Amino acid sequence: MSELQQWINSYLIKWGLVHDSANIWDNLVVLLLLIVITVGIDYTCRYIFLELFKRFAQKTKNQWDDLIVERKIINKLMHLIPAILVYIMLPLALPKEEMPTLLGILQMVCSVYIVAVVLRFINASLNLLLEIYNRKESMKNKPLKGFVQIIQVIMFFVGGIIIISILIGKSPATLFAGLGASAAILMLVFKDTILGFVAGIQLSANDMLRPGDWITMSKYGADGTVIEVTLNAIKVRNFDNTITTIPPYALVSDSFQNWRGMKESGGRRVKRSINIDMNSVHFCTPEMLAKFRKISLLTDYIDTKQEELEAYNKEHSIDASIWVNGRRQTNIGVFRAYLVNYLKSNPNVSQNMTCMVRQLQPTEQGIPMELYFFASTTDWIPYEDIQADVFDHILAVIPEFGLQVFQGVSGSDLRHLRIESTNLKDI
């Protein structure tokens, strides 16, 4: 390179430049040639090697190489080559003994640029790995994004320290040592990040939360599907399409309800009750039993139960002429048996899970008859349809058992009562 500089220097002197000016201009001309060469190498690498890799990616069936091309990962890497060449060849164009200040400034700029390109390349590579990871069916529900973000935070933090050390001319180790004294300040600044990282580890290790889970957390007004799990926030799309943001550490320190177990079980619970008017409860007459025996879901039950009761009463010499003596069937007991058989025969009710009908503590609003069963689907709309169909049928058949549903007095009831009282006065 010195021979090239001497050759350029001699021509510049021949063109009329003084010797001192020629020494400066020959360095600048060599620097310009270096820049042209590095730019040419940059374009050559990007267009030749990149085209070769594109052809290779098109011939393979893997998705990762196509994503490398789409996300321009190689383009970001290729920017390193001209920067490194310029950094290495700068002393040839600008000798240290002639232009130490300019050489130092340009090498500092090159060093900062190299670090920035490396950070950009690593950041893009991490995002690419996350995208490939999320495209796998077995992995896409794992909250990996938080871990990638903590790596990115550490990477940019270290990169920032290195850039500062280049600009001030100090060793990065010296700066890192000085950070020990300000650890408390750093912990305060990155408090949410640290808490989010620790919470993310706990959530992932215990498999407490995945993207796609339906969670309920009344404290934060969240009731919907988890759409994103990041280092600092968990986004939940509620059923009204609003977005609720929850700090990750809140899911560890507070309680929340995850409905994933319900979805994986294949059944969704129904737990509702109907209040029966206590005044409509009475013993079954022979005529009522004959009527109930014609109901297909009750035929076997009526016969079996009646044989059991008659055998008990006969064994204990019960006087059947008095209704309160011995054991007898009641209309509410037969109704409860009907409900159990109805649920067991319903194809929309899961037969592998708990299914029962029970009476709860009577109240001033009647006797609550509770149905506890699981629908055979977990989807919201079909679940509501199944639940509604079951209770539509129950409300329709209650009068067939001589029972009445308890409900509060309405305006219509008061009007009928007033009309009846008026008619009685007229009579």
Side-chain angles (χ1 to χ4, degrees), residues 208-223:
M208 298 169 62
L209 188 72
R210 302 176 190 168
D213 284 355
W214 169 21
I215 67 170
T216 302
M217 197 171 188
S218 56
K219 180 178 179 180
Y220 291 90
D223 184 14

Side-chain angles (χ1 to χ4, degrees), residues 326-339:
R327 297 172 59 192
R328 297 177 184 274
Q329 297 196 62
T330 61
N331 60 344
I332 194 170
V334 175
F335 176 61
R336 182 164 51 85
Y338 172 81
L339 293 180

Side-chain angles (χ1 to χ4, degrees), residues 92-374:
L92 301 177
L94 304 173
K96 190 173 183 179
E97 58 276 5
E98 296 181 10
M99 298 181 175
T101 304
L102 182 59
L103 176 62
I105 293 174
L106 293 179
Q107 284 188 325
M108 181 187 302
V109 172
C110 285
S111 300
V112 171
Y113 179 78
I114 290 172
V115 173
V117 170
V118 170
L119 291 176
R120 187 184 178 198
F121 170 72
I122 296 175
N123 181 61
S125 300
L126 289 173
N127 290 331
L128 176 66
L129 290 175
L130 179 62
E131 186 173 354
I132 295 173
Y133 181 91
N134 288 333
R135 289 194 177 192
K136 293 183 178 180
E137 289 295 328
S138 58
M139 300 294 183
K140 67 179 182 180
N141 289 329
K142 301 293 183 180
L144 183 68
K145 189 170 184 178
F147 297 101
V148 172
Q149 286 183 325
I150 194 66
I151 294 174
Q152 290 173 329
V153 169
I154 295 173
M155 177 191 68
F156 282 114
F157 179 75
V158 173
I161 294 295
I162 294 174
I163 290 175
I164 293 173
S165 67
I166 292 172
L167 295 175
I168 64 177
K170 298 289 186 180
S171 171
T174 304
L175 295 179
F176 280 115
L179 290 176
S182 57
I185 299 176
L186 291 174
M187 291 183 66
L188 181 63
V189 172
F190 295 104
K191 181 191 72 171
D192 291 338
T193 302
I194 295 171
L195 289 175
F197 175 63
V198 175
I201 294 176
Q202 291 178 302
L203 292 172
S204 179
N206 298 318
D207 199 18
M208 298 169 62
L209 188 72
R210 302 176 190 168
D213 284 355
W214 169 21
I215 67 170
T216 302
M217 197 171 188
S218 56
K219 180 178 179 180
Y220 291 90
D223 184 14
T225 304
V226 177
I227 58 176
E228 189 176 18
V229 179
T230 63
L231 186 62
N232 297 315
I234 293 174
K235 294 183 180 179
V236 179
R237 181 182 295 278
N238 299 315
F239 293 119
D240 58 358
N241 284 330
T242 58
I243 304 295
T244 299
T245 303
I246 306 173
Y249 54 83
L251 296 177
V252 177
S253 59
D254 298 332
S255 63
F256 71 98
Q257 190 172 17
N258 192 329
W259 296 83
R260 188 203 315 158
M262 178 271 294
K263 289 189 175 182
E264 292 176 348
S265 68
R268 188 168 176 180
R269 190 187 70 174
V270 176
K271 184 183 179 183
R272 286 177 55 180
S273 60
I274 294 178
N275 292 330
I276 304 297
D277 190 344
M278 287 184 279
N279 293 321
S280 63
V281 178
H282 51 76
F283 290 116
C284 292
T285 63
E287 293 78 15
M288 293 176 65
L289 292 176
K291 175 185 175 182
F292 295 155
R293 191 175 284 108
K294 294 180 181 179
I295 300 174
S296 60
L297 292 176
L298 287 176
T299 302
D300 294 338
Y301 170 80
I302 295 293
D303 292 338
T304 304
K305 194 69 175 179
Q306 195 62 22
E307 290 178 2
E308 175 190 339
L309 298 180
E310 289 177 356
Y312 175 86
N313 292 336
K314 184 177 180 180
E315 180 182 351
H316 292 81
S317 301
I318 300 298
D319 183 6
S321 62
I322 306 298
W323 282 94
V324 296
N325 289 339
R327 297 172 59 192
R328 297 177 184 274
Q329 297 196 62
T330 61
N331 60 344
I332 194 170
V334 175
F335 176 61
R336 182 164 51 85
Y338 172 81
L339 293 180
V340 172
N341 292 336
Y342 173 73
L343 292 178
K344 290 183 177 180
S345 65
N346 193 323
N348 294 320
V349 175
S350 176
Q351 305 303 322
N352 300 322
M353 300 181 182
T354 305
C355 179
M356 67 175 178
V357 180
R358 61 176 182 168
Q359 288 187 27
L360 302 180
Q361 176 70 29
T363 66
E364 66 275 7
Q365 296 180 344
I367 303 174
M369 186 71 72
E370 184 183 80
L371 280 73
Y372 188 105
F373 64 94
F374 288 81

